[in-house]
């Protein structure tokens, strides 16, 4: 089979496996994204609310049904799904009706939460724009599922392309694609949330970095980086800020290291650092121009349980104290079950085989830690905010395996052939 056929086959196998879980992947934030997407398809506020609530509550009912089926005490009890569906609908509609009665009828999202909280999602049109065509073509349930499959498979293909741009062999590039699909980045990208697009666009930026650093189609590579940063701004502008900042830092670090060793920094490194810096400046200016929620508003959202409580008088002091508590507990849990730490270590070792690109790869992975640091909540739906850090092992492990594969293949190619009898 050709490499393209292998890539498509791996993506098709992944898509078939996802048929096992068509519903039940959503989170509370999925309601906001889905209602925004439905409004883009022409649905009015009540139509969007009805379709969104039905989808969300069907997911809750499906999870309750599956959980009872394997409950060793209650598996023979009546199916809880109808009751869960009914209670969920009543609860959600009660909240939406109260918000509508209070006059919260503006914007694209259905007012499931206070207006200050919904403004955060009004500033993230990227994922709803991506989701809307799928929902319009396939309906809500299958449209959300198809969108998840599409963006996750695209992330896997981009991982393959990044590794091929680094002249990695096809089998190892396919390994990178498979790692993206089976590690938590694949699981998280399948959720009806913005993280799938964040992962894919970050990989697109890394593909551009690889092209620039290898001196192949440098202009196309810079265009990829710039386009990815611009698209990230529409999906989640804080991620565009983090990635631009980290790319600029990585470029500066590589340039200083080369200067220290008496070598020129290289036009590609300088161009990538400049693109990252431009991304930072553009993100800050556009966010202020469009009146997007500030960092202080985000901290208040975190500390007041989505504005359900009064604003904190000293939010930044409390936020910093929470940071210390969070990372202490996070590290304790990682040392208890060090799978993530082990994969990160392997990714770092692999990234060192391409020092310049490895710096930009580590920078992109750092955005996952910055995302998590912005929301130091230990119970926020399965570590989805830090998922971008998994890109380090996705691309680093195949690089780490390069010498192993080369030693296994080269002797076999040069081995003497036994004469025929």
């Amino acid at each position: 089979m050709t490499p393209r056929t292998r890539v498509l086959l791996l993506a098709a196998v992944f898509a078939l496996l996802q048929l096992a879980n068509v519903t039940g992947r959503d989170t509370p934030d999925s309601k906001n994204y889905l209602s925004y997407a439905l409004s883009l398809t022409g649905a009015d506020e009540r139509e969007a609310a009805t379709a969104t609530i039905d989808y969300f509550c069907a997911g809750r009912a499906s999870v309750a049904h599956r959980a009872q089926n394997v409950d060793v005490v209650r598996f023979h009890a009546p199916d809880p799904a109808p009751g869960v569906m009914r209670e969920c609908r009543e609860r959600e509609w009660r909240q939406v009706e109260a918000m509508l009665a209070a006059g919260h009828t503006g914007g694209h999202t259905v007012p499931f939460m206070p207006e200050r909280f919904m403004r955060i999602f009004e500033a993230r049109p990227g994922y709803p724009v991506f989701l809307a065509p799928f929902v319009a073509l396939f309906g809500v349930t299958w449209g959300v599922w198809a969108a998840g499959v599409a963006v996750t498979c695209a992330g896997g293909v981009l991982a393959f392309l990044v590794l091929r741009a680094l002249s990695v062999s096809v089998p190892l590039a396919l390994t990178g694609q498979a790692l993206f699909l089976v590690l938590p980045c694949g699981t998280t990208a399948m959720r009806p949330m913005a993280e799938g697009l964040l992962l894919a666009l970050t990989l697109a930026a890394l593909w551009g970095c690889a092209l620039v650093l290898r001196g192949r189609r440098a202009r196309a590579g810079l265009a990829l980086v710039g386009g990815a940063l611009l698209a990230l701004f529409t999906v989640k502008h804080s991620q565009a800020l983090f990635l631009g900042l980290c790319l600029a830092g990585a470029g500066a670090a590589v340039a200083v290291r080369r200067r220290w060793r008496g070598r020129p920094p290289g036009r590609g490194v300088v161009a990538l650092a400049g693109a990252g810096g431009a991304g930072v400046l553009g993100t800050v200016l556009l966010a202020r121009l469009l009146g997007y929620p500030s960092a202080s508003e985000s901290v208040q959202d975190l500390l007041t349980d989505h504005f359900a409580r009064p604003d904190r008088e000293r939010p930044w002091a409390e936020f910093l104290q929470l940071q210390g508590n969070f990372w202490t507990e996070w590290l304790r849990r990682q040392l208890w079950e060090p799978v993530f730490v082990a994969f990160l270590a392997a990714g770092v070792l692999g990234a060192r085989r391409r020092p310049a690109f490895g710096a930009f790869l580590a920078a992109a992975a750092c955005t996952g830690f910055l995302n998590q640091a912005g929301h130091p909540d230990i119970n926020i739906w399965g570590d989805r905010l830090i998922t971008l850090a998994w890109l380090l092992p996705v691309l680093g492990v195949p690089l780490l395996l390069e010498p192993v594969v080369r030693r296994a293949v080269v002797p076999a190619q040069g081995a003497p052939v036994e004469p025929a009898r």
Side-chain angles (χ1 to χ4, degrees):
M1 291 186 290
T2 63
R4 181 180 301 177
T5 304
R6 295 180 184 183
V7 168
L8 294 177
L9 180 61
L10 189 54
V13 170
F14 174 81
L16 289 174
L17 294 177
Q18 302 317 300
L19 290 171
N21 293 279
V22 177
T23 60
R25 300 176 188 265
D26 50 282
T27 73
D29 286 351
S30 300
K31 296 181 294 183
N32 306 318
Y33 289 116
L34 178 56
S35 65
Y36 196 135
L38 288 168
S39 74
L40 295 177
T41 65
D44 61 31
E45 200 150 33
R46 288 201 170 272
E47 289 173 341
T50 300
T52 301
I53 290 173
D54 286 350
Y55 172 78
F56 178 76
C57 293
R60 301 280 78 75
S62 175
V63 171
H65 172 76
R66 295 196 301 249
Q68 181 171 299
N69 276 346
V70 292
D71 190 312
V72 295
V73 176
R74 301 177 60 250
F75 66 91
H76 47 66
D79 186 0
V84 170
M85 185 78 174
R86 182 177 58 256
E87 293 173 6
C88 177
R89 279 175 170 167
E90 292 174 356
R91 182 178 63 252
E92 295 297 329
W93 270 115
R94 186 164 54 248
Q95 192 168 3
V96 170
E97 292 286 7
M99 292 292 178
L100 291 176
H104 302 310
T105 57
H108 291 282
T109 54
V110 173
F112 292 104
M113 296 287 284
E115 187 176 7
R116 285 176 69 187
F117 179 71
M118 300 309 297
R119 285 186 64 239
I120 296 173
F121 292 91
E122 291 288 339
R124 300 176 183 177
Y127 179 67
V129 169
F130 170 78
L131 181 59
F134 291 93
V135 173
L137 286 173
F138 304 113
V140 172
T141 300
W142 286 103
V144 169
W145 178 86
V149 169
V151 75
T152 308
C153 290
V157 172
L158 284 165
F160 175 88
L161 292 173
V162 173
L163 291 167
R164 289 297 290 155
L166 295 171
S167 300
V168 173
S169 65
V170 170
L172 286 177
L174 289 170
T175 301
Q177 180 188 3
L179 285 172
F180 180 87
L181 297 176
V182 303
L183 289 178
C185 23
T187 305
T188 303
M190 276 299 300
R191 289 188 180 277
M193 299 283 289
E195 276 70 29
L197 270 181
L198 297 183
L199 286 161
L201 291 171
T202 304
L203 280 168
L206 287 173
W207 185 21
C209 291
L211 292 174
V212 171
L213 293 173
R214 298 288 291 181
R216 301 173 181 175
R217 295 176 291 174
R219 290 185 179 179
L222 283 174
L224 266 174
V225 174
L229 288 170
L230 182 60
L232 282 170
F233 180 86
T234 68
V235 179
K236 190 176 181 183
H237 68 279
S238 60
Q239 175 62 18
L241 178 67
F242 293 154
L243 184 59
L245 186 64
C246 289
L247 291 181
V254 172
V256 169
R257 182 172 181 269
R258 288 182 174 179
R259 283 290 188 187
W260 184 265
R261 297 189 171 189
R263 297 168 51 196
R267 294 175 60 185
V269 171
V270 173
L272 289 174
V280 172
L281 182 60
T283 298
V284 172
L285 292 177
L286 271 176
R288 289 187 178 180
L289 181 64
L290 297 173
Y292 280 2
S294 64
S296 297
E297 189 77 349
S298 180
V299 171
Q300 289 287 5
D301 166 52
L302 174 74
L303 297 176
T304 60
D305 192 18
H306 305 314
F307 306 109
R309 302 176 181 180
D311 281 8
R312 312 302 295 178
E313 294 182 1
R314 300 173 60 247
W316 288 105
E318 294 185 22
F319 180 73
L320 292 176
Q321 181 182 353
L322 183 60
Q323 287 286 345
N325 297 343
F326 172 84
W327 290 110
T328 300
E329 175 62 16
W330 182 87
L331 183 59
R332 186 190 68 80
R333 296 189 183 191
Q334 297 304 317
L335 295 178
W336 180 16
E337 192 176 2
V339 176
F340 181 43
V341 175
F343 268 104
L344 284 180
V348 169
L349 292 175
R352 292 179 62 185
R353 293 188 51 79
R354 301 287 197 285
F357 176 79
F360 288 96
L361 172 57
C366 280
T367 62
F369 288 95
L370 291 174
N371 267 326
Q372 185 68 78
H375 301 78
D377 185 350
I378 205 70
N379 299 309
I380 194 163
W381 290 91
D383 297 330
R384 64 178 177 84
L385 292 175
I386 207 170
T387 307
L388 285 152
W390 282 97
L391 293 181
L392 183 56
V394 164
L395 300 177
V397 168
L399 294 173
L400 181 63
L401 294 175
E402 261 191 313
V404 178
V405 172
R406 189 177 295 114
R407 284 196 297 269
V409 172
V410 173
Q413 291 177 341
V417 179
E418 183 179 357
R421 295 182 181 178

